[in-house]
Amino acid sequence: MNHPQTTLKNAKVVKKIGKWTIEVFDDRNGKSCAVSNGWNVYYPIIYPHNKKVAWDNPYPVPKSIHNFFDKNKEKLFNICSK
């Protein structure tokens, strides 16, 4: 069952931090991650060769989300890319 705050109909919430959710969803290439505040959605990119995280628009995403991705990038890469 989806979390009521998910923004995509096939998304599953990985973590909730304040009003933000980190979601995993199926796309045409497998799985991807999204971060949402219930209104806006941002897509982190975790590069496979060095596990560095980049964002499509990093400025509105709070530092707590950036920190969570930095600390858990290996685990999130495994969840978001299978």
Side-chain angles (χ1 to χ4, degrees), residues 23 29 35 37 42 64-65 74 77 81:
E23 306 170 12
N29 298 319
V35 176
N37 64 3
Y42 302 97
S64 59
I65 301 293
E74 191 80 37
F77 175 79
S81 65

Side-chain angles (χ1 to χ4, degrees), residues 7 9 29 33 45 47-48 52 63 67 70 77:
T7 54
K9 64 182 173 184
N29 298 319
C33 283
I45 302 159
Y47 293 102
K52 293 207 178 216
K63 188 154 182 67
N67 290 341
D70 288 341
F77 175 79

